[in-house]
């Protein structure tokens, strides 16, 4: 009798796990909503599991890979970001890991766009006014006004999948778009968007001609009304173009006092202490954040300062938190389905067993012949 394939999931990712149960896998799911302690993950890996399903809450490094030496065949991460997984360690131990790119692209991009709009039009302070019964009169400019996003200039920092989807949504709002990417420029995409913008102008759909182009970082930050971050977190030593604290005191000071920052990428791309100060001292006008250096956001975070609450929106790492995006068992629609597919590809030797051909494997470089 052949041994059943054993998988441990650090989190319940919903009905997609039934795919594994129906295949006869021996599946164990950590039952609590919080992440398991690392010691428990190590214990499970040591017990000889073939596959490990992780979330961005689980630190996956040499300790974990060493515990799975000779037995662990794949780590399947339920997220597009994988900064919690040490790529060099995975390669050292020859263990492929997968992510869930593509399926959360539009959800994350639209959430960033909605955050930008909510911030610009002051939806949060405006609703508080109504709910707290402080709405004393309708008035042309009292007690405050917001700003349109239509026709404004937005800087898109990072033009990978999510950055491009965000650009597409900004194009629909007749925004001027300045792009910056430290590692990769997709000029074909930018050209196609300019054609769309020109067509809308020529046909009278848009009132003004707007443009899109790549610029150096300084120009992207200094000439824009909105700055939206779509770069992966890369720490010093992990890449020739690290993004850790890309937004810091120096780069915040480049921004206009009316500028607003949106972060749906990873918390450490922004120096939070510098940002809180920038908001307190009005170097910039606002920020909307979905991700933080420490998650959940600590009670003593400077971002919680009541003095900046009117211009600082704080969301709970929620950009991909749409039902289909998170839970669909269809690998072309849901993170859950894609996570399971990535796991199965490796464990069942799909693609002729060639890891470099498996679309969801991230560290293909570790397996090139
Ligand atoms: C969420 O943050 C993800 O990386 O998928
Ligand atoms: C505003 O409500 C208007 O009617 O202009």
């Amino acid at each position: 009798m052949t041994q059943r394939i054993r998988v441990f999931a650090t989190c319940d990712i919903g009905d997609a796990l039934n795919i594994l149960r129906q295949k006869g896998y021996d599946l164990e799911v950590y039952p609590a909503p919080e992440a398991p302690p690392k010691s428990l993950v190590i214990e499970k890996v040591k017990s000889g599991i073939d596959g490990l399903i992780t979330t961005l809450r689980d630190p996956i490094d040499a300790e974990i890979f060493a515990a799975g030496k000779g037995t662990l065949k794949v780590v399947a991460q339920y997220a597009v970001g994988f900064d919690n997984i040490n790529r060099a360690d995975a390669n050292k131990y020859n263990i492929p890991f997968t992510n869930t790119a593509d399926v959360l692209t539009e959800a994350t991009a639209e959430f960033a766009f909605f955050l930008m709009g909510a911030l610009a039009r002051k939806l949060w302070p405006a609703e508080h006014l109504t709910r707290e019964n402080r709405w004393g009169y309708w008035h042309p400019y009292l007690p405050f006004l917001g700003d349109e996003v239509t026709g404004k200039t937005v800087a898109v920092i990072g033009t990978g999948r999510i950055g491009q989807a965000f650009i597409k949504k900004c194009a629909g709002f007749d925004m001027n778009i300045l792009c910056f990417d430290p590692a990769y420029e997709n000029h074909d995409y930018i050209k196609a968007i300019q054609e769309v913008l020109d067509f809308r102008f020529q046909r009278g759909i848009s009132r003004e001609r707007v443009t899109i182009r790549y610029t150096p970082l300084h120009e992207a930050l200094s000439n824009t009304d909105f700055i939206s971050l779509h770069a992966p977190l890369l720490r010093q030593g992990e890449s020739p173009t690290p993004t850790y604290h890309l937004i810091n005191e120096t780069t915040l000071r480049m921004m206009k006092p009316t500028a607003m920052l949106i972060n749906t990428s990873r918390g450490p791309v922004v120096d939070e202490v510098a940002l809180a100060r920038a908001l307190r001292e009005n170097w910039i006008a606002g920020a909307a954040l979905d991700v933080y250096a420490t998650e959940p956001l600590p009670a003593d975070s400077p971002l919680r300062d009541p003095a900046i609450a009117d211009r600082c929106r704080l969301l709970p790492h929620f950009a991909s938190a749409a039902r289909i995006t998170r839970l669909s068992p269809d690998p072309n629609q849901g993170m859950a389905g894609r996570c399971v597919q990535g796991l199965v590809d490796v464990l069942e030797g799909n693609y002729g067993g060639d890891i470099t051909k498996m679309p969801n494997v991230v560290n293909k470089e570790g397996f090139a012949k």
Side-chain angles (χ1 to χ4, degrees), residues 136-153:
Y137 37 77
W138 187 99
H139 185 280
Y141 58 84
L142 293 176
F144 50 74
L145 296 175
D147 294 293
E148 303 87 342
V149 302
T150 303
K152 293 284 170 49
T153 299

Side-chain angles (χ1 to χ4, degrees), residues 40-345:
L40 182 85
V41 180
I42 290 173
E43 185 188 307
K44 294 295 173 191
V45 170
K46 249 200 184 116
S47 79
I49 55 167
D50 302 282
L52 176 66
I53 292 176
T54 58
T55 74
L56 49 88
R57 314 173 306 176
D58 305 306
I60 305 297
D61 56 16
E63 251 191 306
I64 306 268
F65 293 123
K69 211 170 163 211
T71 48
L72 183 66
K73 296 174 188 67
V74 61
V75 173
Q77 162 98 339
Y78 176 88
V80 63
F82 47 81
D83 43 281
N84 59 304
I85 299 177
N86 188 310
R87 187 171 188 153
D89 289 347
N91 287 339
K92 192 167 134 210
Y93 286 88
N94 251 308
I95 297 175
F97 66 93
T98 63
N99 72 344
T100 63
D102 296 318
V103 291
L104 47 74
T105 299
E106 298 294 337
T108 304
E110 73 169 31
F111 195 79
F113 192 90
F114 296 151
L115 286 189
M116 179 169 71
L119 187 62
R121 299 305 297 270
K122 297 198 163 47
L123 297 191
W124 190 85
E127 183 169 353
H128 274 269
L129 197 72
T130 315
R131 289 193 175 277
E132 289 155 22
N133 213 15
R134 293 182 287 112
W135 176 21
Y137 37 77
W138 187 99
H139 185 280
Y141 58 84
L142 293 176
F144 50 74
L145 296 175
D147 294 293
E148 303 87 342
V149 302
T150 303
K152 293 284 170 49
T153 299
V154 61
V156 182
I157 308 300
T159 57
R161 281 176 294 255
I162 298 171
Q164 287 175 31
F166 180 78
I167 286 169
K168 183 172 61 170
K169 295 175 198 322
C170 294
F173 277 73
D174 298 328
M175 300 185 81
N176 285 291
I177 304 164
L178 296 178
C179 305
F180 172 77
D181 194 300
Y184 140 100
E185 296 193 346
N186 188 333
H187 290 277
D188 283 348
Y189 188 79
I190 265 52
K191 187 164 166 276
I193 293 287
Q194 186 63 61
E195 284 166 13
V196 170
L197 296 174
D198 287 344
F199 182 77
R200 287 157 56 94
F201 177 60
Q202 282 152 16
R203 296 296 298 267
I205 296 164
S206 306
R207 263 210 278 185
E208 310 271 345
R209 180 170 188 270
V210 289
T211 61
I212 180 168
R213 61 193 163 89
Y214 275 101
T215 67
L217 181 63
H218 179 274
E219 192 184 338
L221 297 182
S222 56
N223 291 332
T224 41
D225 304 298
F226 302 97
I227 294 120
S228 190
L229 306 178
H230 300 286
L233 169 59
L234 294 165
R235 296 175 192 274
Q236 209 73 43
E238 283 178 349
S239 159
T241 53
T243 59
Y244 178 83
H245 282 195
L246 182 70
I247 302 301
N248 52 42
E249 172 163 350
T250 307
T251 47
L252 283 162
R253 284 194 187 274
M254 292 174 189
M255 300 176 192
K256 298 198 291 193
T258 51
M260 296 180 176
L261 176 74
I262 298 97
N263 189 13
T264 53
S265 63
R266 280 293 182 269
V269 176
V270 175
D271 176 346
E272 294 176 351
V273 173
L275 175 61
R277 180 162 169 227
L279 291 169
R280 238 174 14 248
E281 299 180 3
N282 302 305
W283 310 351
I284 67 171
L289 308 172
D290 190 43
V291 288
Y292 308 91
T294 303
E295 297 180 6
L297 185 65
D300 62 354
S301 166
L303 296 167
R304 294 182 184 273
D305 182 352
I308 56 172
D310 62 336
R311 50 196 184 277
C312 185
R313 304 279 55 78
L314 303 173
L315 283 300
H317 203 142
F318 216 53
S320 67
R323 268 183 264 258
I324 290 173
T325 297
R326 283 280 177 90
L327 294 181
S328 173
D330 177 348
N332 293 316
Q333 296 205 50
M335 295 165 68
R338 187 154 285 224
C339 177
V340 164
Q341 187 64 52
L343 178 97
V344 165
D345 282 347

